[in-house]
Amino acid sequence: GKSLYAVKANPHPAVLKTLWAAGMRGFDVASIREIDLVQSACPDAELYLMHPIKSRRTIRHAYAAGIRHFAFDCAAELGKILVETNDADDLHLHLRLALPSGGSATMPLDGKYGATFEEAVALLKAARPVAAKLGVCFHVGSQCMDPSDFIRALSYVHGLLETADIKIDSLDCGGGFPVAYPGLTPPPLRDYFKRIQKGLDIFEFSDLEIIGEPGRALCGEGGSTLTRVELRKGRDLYLNEGSYGSL
């Protein structure tokens, strides 16, 4: 499949240029700033605007910058995309699905984004006539610890498409690919790829364009954070950085 680097994971130009040099050609951007940043660092990159909720200005800027891949998860967002691109006939639209809860992710995304089963059926039928290409995308949750979550997600997609009776062109398995943190050792990434391939084979998705959006898996172990100790109270250290920042 095709890999898109999720720029939000680390947008530093050095990271973008390193990934480009390593062969990365697709980038998942979420804002005007990220669009401009990637196009400055990697002018020939293919950009995907896969955040399911975007400002009208961001949609206009993206389309003018050559982006044709847009995610949505509700009728209002689909309408915004069509209006702000002047009903363009070259859009590749990606419907973001809400997966059933119960996955293994360290940071679940349940309820944050995505269309429910019933909503998705209606949205696929609405988007098919106006999309040059149509796909679905999902996210199993950040730092997924069980590769089988991807097979369960693909099973859900299979049932949805059978119910909707709509032909799609692409399938985006999203992110969630983990890295090793102190005290947290996930399975090797090859186990995730094997499960995804197994799911694609079982549900006969292999003829679709397959996409993934690794972010942390490509940059999480590629840097260090330097902090300053502001105060010590016994064995407690107070730093100038914390869990709401880079920790």
Side-chain angles (χ1 to χ4, degrees):
K2 177 185 293 185
S3 290
L4 315 176
Y5 173 60
V7 175
K8 62 182 177 291
N10 187 334
H12 196 286
V15 173
L16 303 178
K17 292 177 181 178
T18 297
L19 290 171
W20 177 265
M24 184 67 64
R25 294 295 178 262
F27 292 80
D28 164 30
V29 292
S31 66
I32 291 175
R33 181 181 181 186
E34 289 185 3
I35 292 170
D36 294 346
L37 185 62
V38 176
Q39 291 193 325
S40 175
C42 311
D44 296 324
E46 183 179 18
L47 305 189
Y48 289 62
L49 192 57
M50 300 303 284
H51 196 298
I53 299 175
K54 303 162 288 297
S55 72
R56 292 179 178 273
R57 178 169 173 252
T58 299
I59 295 169
R60 290 196 302 272
H61 184 90
Y63 191 80
I67 295 176
R68 297 298 181 263
H69 293 268
F70 294 86
F72 69 104
D73 70 354
C74 63
E77 187 70 14
L78 175 60
K80 282 163 51 181
I81 294 169
L82 296 176
V83 168
E84 300 307 325
T85 61
N86 293 315
D87 292 315
D89 60 3
D90 58 352
L91 299 176
H92 189 154
L93 301 176
H94 303 261
L95 174 61
R96 174 73 173 264
L97 306 177
L99 298 178
S101 59
S104 66
T106 303
M107 297 178 67
L109 299 178
D110 299 352
K112 187 174 183 181
Y113 301 117
T116 65
F117 193 97
E118 292 77 14
E119 292 168 343
V121 169
L123 288 168
L124 286 171
K125 293 179 178 179
R128 181 70 276 182
V130 297
K133 290 186 177 181
L134 180 63
V136 296
C137 54
F138 60 78
H139 200 301
V140 296
S142 190
Q143 189 74 2
C144 171
M145 298 299 289
D146 182 358
S148 295
D149 285 356
F150 283 92
I151 287 189
R152 287 188 283 271
L154 291 170
S155 175
Y156 179 82
V157 172
H158 180 260
L160 171 66
L161 294 177
E162 281 202 329
T163 300
D165 193 25
I166 294 290
K167 179 175 175 55
I168 62 171
D169 304 288
S170 65
L171 175 58
D172 182 350
C173 296
F177 303 103
V179 297
Y181 291 119
L184 192 65
T185 305
L189 285 177
R190 63 177 175 270
D191 289 0
Y192 292 79
F193 305 143
K194 287 179 180 178
R195 295 297 196 285
I196 291 173
Q197 186 61 62
K198 182 177 180 181
L200 297 176
D201 292 339
I202 291 173
F203 302 112
E204 300 181 343
F205 288 146
S206 295
D207 60 330
L208 300 176
E209 180 182 11
I210 305 302
I211 304 169
E213 301 175 28
R216 140 194 347 257
L218 290 173
C219 69
E221 299 173 358
S224 301
T225 297
L226 303 181
T227 68
R228 182 175 63 246
V229 177
E230 303 282 24
L231 181 68
R232 175 174 177 171
K233 289 184 178 180
R235 296 180 58 82
D236 294 332
L237 300 179
Y238 291 78
L239 310 179
N240 67 332
E241 182 58 297
S243 58
Y244 289 103
S246 62
L247 301 182

